[in-house]
């Protein structure tokens, strides 16, 4: 495939578009050049270091799905950490009876 196509969809030529000041390729409107990827990205939001790519028009929904799953994973870990903490607190205050029968919380019978 041609690296510098004459048109996007066989219609108007790209020569009428202004060139990017960094890569000298035709630059459509709402396009920004990413210095990390060294390419122009349409509707660029930011360059994500976790995904190692730019977040723009074509992958924004995948980035939002990534954020959703990170939030779900954090909630999952938080729930189980709090459950473990609750069990450890209960175990710390459990006082067994001297005769070996079941004990009680806080020494009260």
């Amino acid at each position: 495939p041609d690296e510098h196509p004459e048109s996007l969809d066989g219609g108007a030529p790209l020569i009428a578009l202004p060139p990017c000041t960094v890569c000298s390729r035709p630059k459509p409107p709402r396009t920004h050049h990413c210095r990390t990827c060294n390419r122009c990205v349409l509707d660029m939001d930011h360059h994500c270091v976790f995904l190692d790519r730019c977040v723009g028009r074509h992958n924004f929904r995948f980035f939002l799905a990534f954020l959703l799953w990170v939030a779900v994973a954090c909630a999952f870990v938080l729930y189980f950490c709090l459950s473990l903490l609750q069990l450890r607190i209960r175990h710390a205050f459990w006082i067994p009876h001297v005769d070996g029968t079941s004990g009680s919380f806080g020494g009260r019978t």
Side-chain angles (χ1 to χ4, degrees):
D2 188 14
E3 192 171 331
H4 299 284
E6 292 297 322
S7 66
L8 291 174
D9 57 356
L14 290 176
I15 298 169
L17 296 174
C20 176
T21 57
V22 180
C23 65
S24 301
R25 293 185 181 172
K27 185 178 176 183
R30 297 177 309 278
T31 303
H32 300 282
H33 188 85
C34 176
R35 294 190 187 274
T36 307
C37 296
N38 197 25
R39 59 188 293 191
C40 291
V41 180
L42 187 61
D43 287 337
M44 180 177 168
D45 188 2
H46 67 284
H47 183 86
C48 182
V49 294
F50 300 109
L51 301 176
D52 192 33
R53 59 186 55 200
C54 290
V55 177
R57 172 179 283 185
H58 299 293
N59 63 353
F60 191 74
R61 63 179 169 190
F62 299 113
F63 178 70
L64 288 179
F66 170 72
L67 290 180
L68 174 72
W69 284 111
V70 166
V72 168
C74 287
F76 182 77
V77 168
L78 181 67
Y79 171 76
F80 282 105
C81 285
L82 291 176
S83 297
L84 181 65
L85 183 65
Q86 181 185 13
L87 287 174
R88 288 193 180 231
I89 288 173
R90 281 187 182 178
H91 182 70
F93 291 109
W94 182 261
I95 301 171
H97 287 241
V98 178
D99 60 357
T101 59
S102 66
S104 63
F105 286 107
R108 287 184 254 147
T109 56

